[in-house]
């Protein structure tokens, strides 16, 4: 775990430059606007270790899967999130000497991501090998208003010299992905132009033929006497160099305006024109105006989604960082887009969509955004239903059975690990649950008949074919699966997977019964050739006769068959030197161990907690929690929620801090690859569903709030059924008000800062 980020309620701050931490910081200090995102790379040249990254929404490359163990049904490709053009670059020379922090003595280095206003600022003093010293300050935004635009203000002050300087802003499309096979490059130049007004490079992706035009314009103000501009270009690269005279102590500022324009939104033949117009408009507005409107847009975001924590700066900073990243990763503006596991902070894992969206991210957008944002997330899967059916067909399933991909860009499966591609089928259950979650929260009952039931039937058909009758157990069983805990592969009767299957079948049957006789339903059943009597009878039989492993002695659900054959060791007995085990142990050793990567059985208990009494939840929590190593970013938040329900305040706080600061403190030693979007969504869940005890049951809103001992109070806002609510807690009470500041409920805490009797109250709205 790292601990170099200063604690601050509204900013992420790094003081002092440590090259060994630079790639971690590049991830943490990333900025984006839902349409593109930029890692916190330096504008000036840096020859040290760096992961240059600009990512444009929806653009990907289908990299050929390279395996020697090809099996029928295996994905044809692995979808790479592509690094796009470097638009931030500004090379600086002083009397022919290049500013490169790798070669300089650096002091007073400070990097700040202001989450309240959405800007990234960096400042430092650098002494070059010649002895020349300069002070630099840069501010960068990716506009939340003009979502094609990025802008930079880069100020340089020569401290101990006067002389000639060269400033060379550029656009470089000759980029690589960190995980490319054999250093392959994925962009092909289509056009470029270098001029002293507007310069751009337009490139297309191999195979998928996405086109992106990235252009720039700049000007220099202040203590700078220009002696002219020159231009240059090479393959996939353009630059403009302005030479000038500078004086000791006199600052000059470079304003660079850039745009990323994609064929996702414009005709290919129009890209360069649209790019030029966008850049010109930005330059005309000027950096100050762009910044002001960007700050105003962020203020509106925070009005809807901020969480205030009193008395604990570490917790406060953590949750705001996660909310900030969620807001700049997905805005709901385009139903074709989704939420990648790294957002716009890195390219690891590939794909734009995992089951993480439905199981974790949806909750945040349900409560903090307009209804259409969450609707677009669930509608995304409806749009990909035919692809899900085709994915299932490749594995031998028939009759419209649908298996949604573990990883996808366009609905096709593109994950290249067999034990996940073929076996981690629990993802289907998360997609089904999201339909319920959306309807239950927003009351959009038309969605079930218009879109949801067709998806649910496809998934239910898959489950009905994926189980088989066991003569030995005289029950239906689910063989050869991988649950959310990926430290177990190819197991039988994973409790969570089987639970999701049965729940999906029950929910689908309920939906069919509810709309029985409706003309829309009749048309749907005819369209998909659904045998109502035959198929529903089979489904009900599976619901009634599904096998679930249970250990009567311990009173626990068995994560899967044979789990108790393992040597049951607790994580507290693991030496610190052997953690994380996924970086220290062989895969064979991990698979044979009892250690759990992430919540598995507990994940199902969290989703369906109303089916279990507190004693059952407690027994399972006490058995599985001590063996969970939380080496998945998806895990701690679920444990925080269950610990809260059980009154385990210290454990809940421990798990909250772990998820809230997973990237800020680099808990799992992997933040350099990019931040963990799902953990960010999980942080919101841990707070709202854990500490605030927020639940929606039968379309009514409930809370069972308490205050962690480390906090003086908290406050947050949600939107429920078009009503804006604010929840404020102190050590004495909780007050819930509506958007008219009317008090709806007042809860009085007992001496433990909890509702008396661990109670729960319904909000009167």
């Amino acid at each position: 775990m790292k601990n170099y980020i200063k604690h601050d309620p509204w900013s992420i701050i790094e003081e002092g430059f440590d090259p060994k931490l630079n790639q971690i910081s590049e991830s943490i200090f990333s900025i984006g606007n839902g349409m593109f995102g930029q890692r916190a790379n330096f504008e000036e040249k840096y020859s040290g270790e760096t992961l240059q990254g600009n990512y444009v929404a929806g653009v990907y490359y289908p990299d050929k899967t390279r395996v020697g163990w090809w099996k029928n049904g295996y994905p044809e490709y692995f979808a790479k999130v592509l690094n796009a053009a470097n638009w931030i670059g500004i090379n600086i020379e002083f009397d022919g000497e290049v500013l490169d922090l790798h070669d300089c003595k650096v002091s007073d280095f400070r990097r700040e991501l202001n989450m309240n206003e959405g800007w990234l600022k960096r400042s430092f003093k650098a002494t070059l090998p010649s002895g020349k010293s300069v002070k630099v300050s840069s501010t960068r935004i990716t506009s939340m208003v003009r979502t094609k635009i990025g802008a930079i203000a880069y100020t340089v002050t020569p401290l101990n010299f006067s002389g000639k300087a060269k400033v060379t802003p550029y656009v470089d499309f000759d980029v690589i992905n960190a995980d490319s096979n054999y250093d392959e490059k994925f962009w092909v130049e289509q056009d470029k132009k270098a001029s002293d007004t507007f310069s751009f490079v337009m490139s297309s992706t191999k195979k998928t033929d996405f086109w992106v035009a990235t252009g720039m314009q700049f000007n220099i103000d202040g203590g700078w006497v220009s002696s002219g501009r020159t231009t240059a270009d090479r393959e996939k690269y353009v630059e403009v160099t302005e030479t000038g005279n500078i004086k000791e102590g006199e600052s000059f500022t470079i304003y660079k305006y850039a745009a990323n324009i994609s064929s996702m939104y414009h005709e290919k033949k129009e890209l360069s024109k649209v790019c030029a117009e966008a850049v010109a408009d930005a330059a005309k507005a000027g950096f100050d105006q762009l910044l002001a409107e960007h700050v105003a847009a962020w203020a509106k975001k925070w009005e809807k989604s901020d969480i205030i924590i009193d008395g604990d700066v570490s917790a406060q900073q953590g949750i705001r960082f996660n909310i900030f990243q969620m807001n700049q990763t997905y805005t709901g503006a385009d139903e074709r887009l989704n939420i990648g596991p790294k957002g716009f902070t890195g390219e690891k894992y590939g794909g734009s969509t995992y089951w993480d969206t439905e199981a974790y991210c949806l909750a945040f957008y349900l409560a903090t955004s307009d209804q259409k944002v969450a609707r677009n997330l669930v509608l995304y899967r409806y749009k990909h239903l035919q692809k899900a059916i085709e994915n299932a067909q490749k594995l031998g399933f028939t009759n419209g059975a649908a298996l949604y991909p573990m990883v996808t860009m366009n609905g096709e499966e593109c994950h290249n690990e067999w034990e996940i591609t073929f076996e981690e089928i629990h993802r289907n259950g998360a997609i089904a649950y999201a339909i319920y979650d959306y309807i239950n929260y927003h009351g959009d009952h038309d969605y079930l008949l218009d879109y949801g039931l067709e998806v649910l039937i496809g998934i239910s058909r898959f489950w009905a074919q994926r189980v088989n009758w066991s003569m030995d157990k005289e029950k239906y069983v689910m063989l050869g699966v991988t649950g959310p805990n990926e430290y177990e592969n190819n197991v039988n009767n994973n409790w969570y997977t089987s639970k999701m299957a049965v729940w999906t079948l029950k929910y689908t049957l309920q939906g069919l019964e509810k709309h029985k006789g409706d003309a829309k339903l009749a048309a749907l059943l005819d369209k998909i050739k659904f045998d109502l009597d035959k198929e529903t009878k089979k489904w009900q039989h599976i619901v009634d006769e599904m096998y679930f492993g249970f250990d009567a002695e311990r009173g626990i659900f068995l994560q899967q068959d044979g789990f108790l054959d393992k040597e049951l060791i607790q994580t507290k007995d693991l030496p610190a030197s052997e953690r994380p085990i996924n970086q220290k142990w062989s895969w064979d050793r991990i698979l044979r161990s009892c250690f759990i990567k992430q919540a598995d059985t507990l994940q199902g208990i969290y989703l369906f907690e109303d089916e279990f009494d507190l004693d059952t939840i407690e027994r399972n929590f006490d058995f599985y929690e001590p063996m969970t190593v939380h080496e998945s970013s998806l895990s701690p938040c679920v444990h925080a929620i269950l610990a809260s329900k059980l009154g385990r305040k210290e454990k809940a706080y421990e798990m909250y801090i772990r998820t809230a600061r997973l990237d800020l403190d680099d808990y799992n030693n992997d933040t350099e690859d990019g931040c963990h979007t799902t953990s960010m969504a999980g942080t919101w869940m841990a707070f709202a569903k854990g500490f605030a005890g927020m639940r929606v049951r039968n379309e009514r809103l409930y809370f069972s709030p308490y205050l962690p001992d480390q906090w003086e109070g908290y406050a947050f806002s949600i939107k429920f059924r078009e009503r804006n609510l604010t929840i404020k807690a102190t050590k004495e009470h909780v007050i819930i008000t509506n958007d008219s500041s009317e008090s709806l409920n007042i809860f009085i805490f007992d001496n433990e800062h909890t509702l008396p009797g661990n109670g729960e109250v319904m909000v009167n709205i």
Side-chain angles (χ1 to χ4, degrees):
M1 188 177 83
K2 315 296 189 301
N3 189 24
Y4 72 97
I5 299 297
K6 288 181 65 67
H7 290 186
D8 183 277
W10 272 113
S11 287
I12 309 301
I13 299 170
E14 174 188 16
E15 292 183 340
F17 180 55
D18 183 346
K20 295 189 296 296
L21 301 175
N22 185 50
Q23 291 189 65
I24 299 171
S25 293
E26 288 177 343
S27 298
I28 291 172
F29 290 84
S30 295
I31 55 175
N33 59 19
M35 290 292 112
F36 74 98
Q38 174 65 51
R39 283 173 61 86
N41 311 114
F42 298 163
E43 290 89 356
E44 70 279 354
K45 178 181 178 180
Y46 182 65
S47 57
E49 290 190 7
T50 180
L51 175 58
Q52 174 66 42
N54 167 36
Y55 308 105
V56 179
V59 174
Y60 70 97
Y61 175 79
D63 201 12
K64 179 68 176 177
T65 301
R66 298 177 183 270
V67 294
W69 53 89
W70 191 275
K71 301 291 188 297
N72 288 334
Y74 209 82
E76 296 287 334
Y77 64 89
F78 177 71
K80 293 187 182 298
V81 174
L82 286 192
N83 185 13
N86 177 355
W87 62 270
I88 66 171
I90 305 173
N91 287 337
I92 312 287
E93 294 182 26
F94 304 104
D95 296 321
E97 191 173 17
V98 177
L99 176 61
D100 180 348
L101 295 197
H102 184 61
D103 300 329
C104 295
K105 180 181 178 181
V106 181
S107 63
D108 297 343
F109 183 95
R110 189 178 192 273
R111 185 160 22 191
E112 177 182 359
L113 176 61
N114 184 295
M115 299 177 289
N116 189 32
E117 299 185 345
W119 46 257
L120 171 64
K121 183 174 288 188
R122 183 171 57 99
S123 60
F124 60 88
K125 292 180 181 178
T127 302
L128 284 68
S130 66
K132 292 184 175 68
S133 292
V134 294
K135 181 171 70 174
V136 173
S137 176
S138 67
T139 303
R140 181 191 307 171
I141 63 169
T142 51
S143 175
M144 293 294 286
V145 178
R146 310 178 193 219
T147 54
K148 303 178 179 72
I149 293 296
I152 299 167
Y154 190 94
T155 300
V156 181
T157 307
L159 297 176
N160 63 353
F161 70 98
S162 301
K164 291 188 177 297
K166 286 184 179 180
V167 171
T168 306
Y170 61 86
V171 172
D172 184 4
F173 233 127
D174 192 19
V175 294
I176 63 171
N177 269 54
D179 63 348
S180 62
N181 288 319
Y182 313 119
D183 296 326
E184 182 181 6
K185 295 182 178 180
F186 305 118
W187 293 96
V188 177
E189 181 186 304
Q190 295 294 339
D191 195 8
K192 66 174 178 281
K193 174 185 176 183
S195 77
D196 58 4
T197 53
F198 170 71
S199 302
F200 76 96
V201 180
M202 183 161 59
S203 296
S204 64
T205 59
K206 299 176 182 178
K207 296 184 182 179
T208 43
D209 200 37
F210 291 104
W211 288 41
V212 175
T214 300
M216 69 167 188
Q217 182 175 330
F218 76 98
N219 62 279
I220 306 176
D221 289 342
W224 174 268
V225 180
S226 177
S227 55
R229 288 187 175 186
T230 60
T231 64
D233 63 75
R234 57 178 185 265
E235 184 182 5
K236 293 183 281 189
Y237 176 90
V238 294
E239 68 179 28
V240 180
T241 297
E242 182 166 329
T243 304
N245 296 313
I246 57 176
K247 292 184 178 180
E248 180 179 340
E250 294 190 12
S251 302
F252 63 93
T253 300
I254 306 151
Y255 295 101
K256 183 177 183 181
Y257 308 95
N260 291 293
I261 311 296
S262 165
S263 60
M264 287 272 291
Y265 301 98
H266 302 279
E267 294 291 330
K268 294 171 183 175
K269 63 182 179 180
E270 298 292 324
L271 289 181
S272 60
K273 177 184 176 184
V274 173
C275 187
E277 291 172 350
V279 170
D281 288 346
K284 182 178 179 181
F287 187 85
D288 289 345
Q289 180 178 328
L290 295 177
L291 178 61
E293 64 190 28
H294 175 73
V295 169
W298 268 109
K300 292 182 179 179
K301 289 277 187 186
W302 285 113
E303 282 179 11
K304 295 181 178 180
S305 59
D306 190 22
I307 291 177
I308 300 168
I309 296 173
D310 294 329
D312 188 343
V313 176
S314 175
Q316 176 69 88
Q317 182 184 45
I319 201 161
R320 278 188 174 140
F321 174 69
N322 290 280
I323 293 169
F324 176 79
Q325 290 289 354
M326 292 294 291
N327 276 327
Q328 67 177 7
T329 295
Y330 182 78
T331 64
D334 185 346
E335 65 185 32
R336 297 173 298 173
L337 301 179
N338 210 280
I339 304 163
K342 294 296 184 183
F344 292 114
T345 70
E347 60 215 41
K348 189 177 179 182
Y349 297 130
S352 68
T353 313
Y354 285 57
W355 69 289
D356 306 26
T357 291
E358 287 78 18
Y360 293 84
C361 301
L362 179 63
F364 171 78
Y365 296 103
L366 282 172
T368 63
S369 303
D370 292 336
Q371 179 179 342
K372 67 179 182 179
V373 175
R375 193 175 191 273
N376 276 349
L377 284 175
V378 289
L379 194 60
Y380 178 91
R381 296 296 190 174
Y382 173 80
K383 300 279 189 179
H384 286 173
L385 176 58
Q386 186 54 43
K387 290 286 188 183
I389 293 171
E390 292 170 10
N391 291 334
Q393 288 173 343
K394 292 175 184 177
L395 303 185
F397 295 87
T398 60
N399 192 36
L403 175 60
Y404 279 91
M406 185 66 178
V407 182
T408 193
M409 277 288 192
N410 63 359
E412 295 177 318
E413 177 64 78
C414 61
H415 196 282
N416 60 359
E417 295 178 48
W418 69 269
E419 68 275 14
I420 292 176
T421 303
F422 296 151
E423 297 189 343
E424 205 162 336
I425 55 176
H426 65 82
R427 62 207 188 231
N428 254 9
I431 290 162
Y433 189 86
I435 295 170
Y436 160 79
D437 210 10
Y438 166 74
I439 293 171
N440 188 43
Y441 195 93
H442 281 299
D444 184 3
H445 295 286
D446 290 340
Y447 186 86
L448 184 64
L449 193 53
D450 291 344
Y451 304 105
L453 263 176
E454 189 171 357
V455 173
L456 291 168
I457 290 169
I459 293 174
S460 293
R461 281 172 157 174
F462 172 83
W463 290 130
Q465 295 177 44
R466 187 58 173 77
V467 301
N468 64 274
W469 182 259
S470 166
M471 297 293 290
D472 176 63
K473 291 182 171 61
E474 294 187 337
K475 292 282 186 180
Y476 286 98
V477 294
M478 185 90 72
L479 307 179
V481 300
T482 298
N485 171 32
E486 293 170 345
Y487 289 175
E488 296 274 12
N489 297 158
N490 197 34
V491 301
N492 294 335
N493 299 311
N494 172 258
W495 188 88
Y496 174 78
T497 304
S498 297
K499 183 68 179 174
M500 294 303 289
V502 168
W503 178 88
T504 303
L505 291 167
K506 288 172 66 175
Y507 184 53
T508 309
L509 287 168
Q510 291 168 6
L512 290 169
E513 180 64 27
K514 179 179 180 180
H515 293 286
K516 191 175 182 179
D518 192 295
K520 277 188 177 181
L521 178 60
L524 170 61
L525 299 184
D526 182 63
K527 168 189 170 185
I528 62 177
K529 297 180 174 57
F530 188 80
D531 189 326
L532 185 61
D533 183 60
K534 180 180 178 181
E535 295 194 57
T536 56
K537 281 184 178 178
K538 173 71 178 296
W539 295 359
Q540 187 62 55
H541 195 240
I542 296 170
V543 169
D544 294 338
E545 301 297 334
M546 192 69 176
Y547 169 76
F548 292 96
F550 184 77
D551 178 56
E553 181 180 345
R554 295 176 175 84
I556 61 167
F557 305 118
L558 289 183
Q559 182 170 278
Q560 72 269 339
D561 288 357
F563 186 82
L564 296 180
D565 293 333
K566 294 174 177 287
E567 185 180 7
L568 302 179
I569 307 170
Q570 296 191 356
T571 57
K572 65 181 177 60
D573 298 321
L574 269 175
S577 61
E578 296 187 24
R579 300 185 67 178
I581 63 173
N582 62 16
Q583 297 174 21
K584 303 296 179 66
W585 284 15
S586 70
W587 192 241
D588 167 73
R589 187 181 178 189
I590 289 173
L591 291 177
R592 288 186 287 107
S593 80
C594 69
F595 295 117
I596 299 169
K597 180 182 181 184
Q598 69 182 74
D600 194 315
T601 302
L602 297 183
Q603 178 93 18
I605 291 174
Y606 149 68
L607 287 175
F608 306 113
E609 65 175 17
D610 289 343
E611 297 182 19
F612 313 109
D613 58 38
L614 276 177
D615 287 343
T616 299
I617 296 173
E618 188 168 45
R619 286 194 303 271
N620 281 274
F621 187 85
D622 287 344
F623 181 74
Y624 287 110
E625 200 285 327
M627 291 185 285
T628 305
V629 291
H630 299 295
E631 289 174 11
S632 165
S633 62
L634 285 65
S635 186
C637 63
V638 172
H639 285 239
I641 294 166
L642 290 178
S644 293
K645 185 174 183 66
L646 294 171
R648 310 282 182 84
K649 296 172 69 174
E650 286 304 313
K651 175 57 69 173
Y653 181 80
E654 174 195 343
M655 292 293 100
Y656 166 83
I657 287 294
R658 186 180 180 106
T659 190
R661 300 193 64 85
L662 182 82
D663 290 308
L664 291 178
D665 294 335
D666 194 21
Y667 267 84
N668 290 344
N669 294 316
D670 58 1
T671 301
E672 64 186 31
D673 298 323
C675 294
H676 298 78
T677 308
T678 307
S679 180
M680 295 170 177
T683 303
W684 188 91
M685 287 168 50
F687 177 90
K689 297 187 177 189
F691 303 136
M694 176 180 161
R695 302 289 190 274
V696 180
R697 295 193 180 93
N698 300 317
E699 304 183 49
R700 302 301 299 267
L701 186 62
Y702 294 82
F703 289 91
S704 54
Y706 75 95
L707 195 67
D709 294 339
Q710 293 84 351
W711 299 356
E712 297 297 320
Y714 62 70
F716 69 109
S717 298
I718 63 165
K719 189 171 187 176
F720 181 72
R721 302 294 175 91
E722 302 306 315
R723 298 292 298 275
N724 296 309
L725 303 176
T726 299
I727 300 90
K728 295 182 178 180
T730 69
K731 288 187 175 182
E732 289 76 34
H733 60 254
V734 174
I735 299 177
I736 299 178
T737 57
N738 62 20
D739 40 12
S740 300
S741 298
E742 299 171 337
S743 294
L744 304 177
N745 298 77
I746 300 178
F747 314 146
I748 306 300
F749 282 154
D750 62 19
N751 292 332
E752 296 297 320
H753 316 312
T754 62
L755 289 180
N758 195 29
E760 182 177 77
V761 293
M762 185 177 71
V763 180
N764 299 314
I765 57 174

